[in-house]
Amino acid sequence: MIEITSKTIDTNAVLRSVTSPTCGAAVLFVGTTRQFTQTRETMQLAYECYQPMAIEKMKELRDAAFDRWEIENCSIVHRIGVVEVESASVAVAVSSPHRVASFEAANWIMDQLKKVVPIWKQEHWADGETQWVHPQSDAAQPNRISPEVNP
């Protein structure tokens, strides 16, 4: 399952998508909107993406994980649109015969997803300000009007 959705992520469905009778491990990572980023209060996040490229990059990450680890299944789901505090913005699930491969693959996928998948995050702060976060550096980009897409 590789998906970008504007709906609430069904984390149980993501986990079910990777379970298998031949696997002794299934790892589910769920990234949620946190209330505070350092000392600033976050009201919500807003995500945008270039969907065709984002899906392609997510598939490439999944395929690379299959090449690097002995895993059986892998699902990646990312939400776009407004994501409230405590709600899931991303879910990565990996299954394997043994737990180490699942943990390592899920961690690597999440790290790489933030670097290479063209999904942009906009922080909406409690003081009314907004701030874009660049997908490759995860560093805040103040005063950006819209995300830039590099073909």
Side-chain angles (χ1 to χ4, degrees), residues 51-70:
Q51 193 159 338
M53 185 182 283
I55 291 288
E56 186 59 34
K57 290 294 184 184
M58 290 164 70
K59 288 178 181 178
E60 288 174 12
L61 290 177
R62 178 198 56 203
D63 294 347
F66 278 113
D67 290 342
R68 292 179 68 147
W69 290 276
E70 186 183 337

Side-chain angles (χ1 to χ4, degrees), residues 15-96:
L15 183 58
R16 279 193 310 273
S17 75
V18 301
T19 58
S20 166
T22 60
C23 292
V27 169
L28 173 65
F29 170 80
V30 179
T32 60
T33 302
R34 64 181 167 264
Q35 184 178 10
F36 289 93
T37 301
Q38 297 170 355
T39 59
R40 294 191 80 180
E41 185 175 5
T42 301
M43 297 307 293
Q44 63 188 21
L45 299 176
Y47 290 91
E48 294 181 14
C49 76
Y50 176 56
Q51 193 159 338
M53 185 182 283
I55 291 288
E56 186 59 34
K57 290 294 184 184
M58 290 164 70
K59 288 178 181 178
E60 288 174 12
L61 290 177
R62 178 198 56 203
D63 294 347
F66 278 113
D67 290 342
R68 292 179 68 147
W69 290 276
E70 186 183 337
I71 61 175
E72 186 168 316
N73 296 302
C74 175
S75 291
I76 307 168
V77 179
H78 204 296
R79 189 163 168 197
I80 56 173
V82 174
V83 181
E84 302 294 336
V85 172
E86 296 187 59
S87 296
S89 55
V90 63
V92 174
V94 179
S95 63
S96 61

